[in-house]
């Protein structure tokens, strides 16, 4: 078991485009469907795997390009440390001041370490100043507990 880290920042409007954040339905729209529906399905089917947007289900980071992996660790504690370093780095830009509380952030890191050690994933998102969004994720791999059939991006 190992852990892959992901980070995304960008405009809130782009983050809110949920269609590109979920995998396409396994079945395309039936014949005779509205043209807009068919075009949207084709767009999602073509772009979901390559879009840098955070997926709605954390495990689906594993199908994204390997270039999006920000780090890989065997030890949950090291992966949680990366998570904590990113929280510390971005905390001054958090849109809400109470989110910057160092005790709260330390608890998040401790919780992340426990979850990763148990084979789970960690996902955290927060609004930054100027309607931007930060998404951090650490995904357990080989296999992922939530989606064991997803491939490891580094093999």
């Amino acid at each position: 078991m190992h852990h892959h880290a992901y980070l995304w920042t960008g405009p809130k409007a782009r983050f809110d485009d949920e269609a590109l954040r979920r995998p396409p339905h396994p079945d395309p729209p039936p014949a005779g469907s509205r043209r807009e529906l068919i075009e949207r399905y084709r767009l999602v089917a073509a772009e979901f795997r390559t879009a840098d947007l955070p997926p709605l289900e954390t495990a689906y980071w594993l199908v994204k390009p390997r270039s999006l992996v920000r780090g890989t660790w065997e030890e949950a504690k090291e992966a949680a440390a990366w998570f904590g370093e990113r929280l510390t780095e971005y905390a001054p830009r958090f849109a809400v001041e109470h989110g910057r509380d160092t005790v709260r952030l330390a608890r998040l890191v401790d919780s992340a370490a426990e979850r990763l050690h148990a084979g789970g994933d960690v996902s955290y998102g927060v609004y930054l100043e100027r309607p931007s969004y930060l998404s951090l994720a650490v995904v357990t791999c080989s296999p992922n507990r939530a989606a064991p059939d997803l491939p490891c991006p580094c093999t």
Side-chain angles (χ1 to χ4, degrees):
M1 179 171 64
H2 57 276
H3 313 278
H4 299 296
Y6 300 88
L7 180 149
W8 182 85
T9 58
K12 178 189 176 309
R14 185 155 184 257
F15 179 79
D16 289 344
D17 188 1
E18 288 189 9
L20 290 177
R21 297 184 52 221
R22 68 180 77 237
H25 192 276
D27 300 319
S33 295
R34 291 187 342 259
R35 183 177 180 196
E36 299 84 19
L37 181 64
I38 293 169
E39 288 176 10
R40 188 66 172 169
Y41 177 84
R42 287 181 181 155
L43 174 71
V44 171
E47 294 188 18
F48 172 74
R49 288 183 176 265
T50 59
D52 67 344
L53 285 168
L56 289 175
E57 295 178 56
T58 305
Y60 278 96
W61 272 115
L62 297 175
V63 303
K64 301 289 186 167
R66 183 178 182 175
S67 61
L68 296 177
V69 175
R70 299 294 181 103
T72 299
W73 302 271
E74 296 292 326
E75 297 296 325
K77 185 177 179 180
E78 294 172 355
W82 175 88
F83 178 73
E85 290 164 4
R86 298 299 72 77
L87 287 174
T88 300
E89 176 184 349
Y90 283 91
R93 295 178 48 201
F94 287 3
V96 291
E97 192 167 330
H98 77 271
R100 301 175 195 158
D101 179 63
T102 56
V103 172
R104 181 179 173 281
L105 295 176
R107 285 188 191 132
L108 285 172
V109 174
D110 290 345
S111 175
E114 290 175 21
R115 191 168 315 134
L116 293 169
H117 183 72
D121 300 329
V122 172
S123 183
Y124 184 76
V126 63
Y127 286 100
L128 303 174
E129 297 169 335
R130 313 248 184 221
S132 292
Y133 196 81
L134 166 67
S135 172
L136 297 171
V138 181
V139 184
T140 300
C141 193
S142 297
N144 181 278
R145 187 168 63 192
D149 295 335
L150 294 180
C152 179
C154 295
T155 57

